[in-house]
Amino acid sequence: MDQLNKRSYSVKFQRQSKILELIEKEPLETQEELSARLRACGFDTTQATVSRDIKELRLIKVMTTDGSYRYAVSTADVEASRLTRIRKIFRESVTSIAVAQNMVVIKTLPGLASAAAYAIDAMRNPDVVGSLAGDDTVFCVMTNNPAADAFKDEAGKLLL
């Protein structure tokens, strides 16, 4: 992945995360409203980009109690879709995984450590005590050394 594609993927991930945050907090009814809110949050975006994001995120319009509509996350296949997206984020951002006693050190493409850490946290592995992301490195503290080895193997399978 070249530098331009890395940056583009990171911006796309941040923008789509902001979209999910906005539709959860605000009753946004149109792509124009969503585009305006994204611009207010510092995202330089077009209606066509927002349209693609809506499709990729599988957003739907639902009726509110007052009869208007708003964007929402589809409840059908939400968990499967979420897990698929998390795996994709992890696979596309991670470059290597190593174990140091009860710590797992994950190297990522520049600027994507936070995305990988998000994916790790979303996996809800009970042996992950916590994760910390820098620019291109994630440190995961595990409950013990065997748990770190097992997590490395599990995470490595996501890269295939």
Side-chain angles (χ1 to χ4, degrees):
M1 190 181 284
D2 64 27
Q3 195 64 24
L4 182 60
N5 285 341
K6 292 175 200 171
R7 178 155 171 68
S8 176
Y9 181 77
S10 178
V11 170
K12 178 180 176 180
F13 176 76
Q14 292 170 359
R15 185 183 62 247
Q16 288 184 350
S17 294
K18 181 55 81 173
I19 288 171
L20 293 173
E21 179 184 322
L22 288 171
I23 66 165
E24 183 178 321
K25 293 179 180 179
E26 301 176 32
L28 298 170
E29 188 171 354
T30 66
Q31 290 180 8
E32 292 78 19
E33 288 175 342
L34 186 52
S35 294
R37 286 296 294 125
L38 285 169
R39 284 191 296 279
C41 293
F43 291 91
D44 185 26
T45 189
T46 66
Q47 185 273 332
T49 300
V50 171
S51 179
R52 280 190 300 274
D53 288 338
I54 288 169
K55 184 177 180 180
E56 287 179 20
L57 293 169
R58 297 182 180 179
L59 300 182
I60 59 171
K61 284 191 175 181
V62 296
M63 187 180 292
T64 64
T65 55
D66 67 0
S68 63
Y69 288 89
R70 68 176 291 162
Y71 282 107
V73 177
S74 172
T75 54
D77 302 323
V78 169
E79 187 62 21
S81 176
R82 184 180 78 84
L83 290 174
T84 299
R85 184 156 171 79
I86 288 168
R87 286 186 188 107
K88 182 177 181 183
I89 290 166
F90 193 80
R91 182 175 48 255
E92 292 184 4
S93 62
V94 172
T95 59
S96 68
I97 304 171
V99 172
Q101 296 185 3
N102 73 321
M103 288 185 58
V104 178
V105 180
I106 299 168
K107 298 297 279 182
T108 71
L109 297 169
L112 294 178
S114 291
Y118 168 79
I120 290 164
D121 292 343
M123 289 177 199
R124 299 179 204 232
N125 183 314
D127 289 321
V128 176
V129 177
S131 64
L132 178 67
D135 181 58
D136 66 356
T137 306
V138 179
F139 292 101
C140 293
V141 178
M142 308 301 294
T143 55
N144 54 48
N145 295 1
D149 289 326
F151 183 76
K152 178 187 181 261
D153 293 342
E154 176 186 345
K157 290 176 185 172
L158 292 177
L159 300 180
L160 302 175

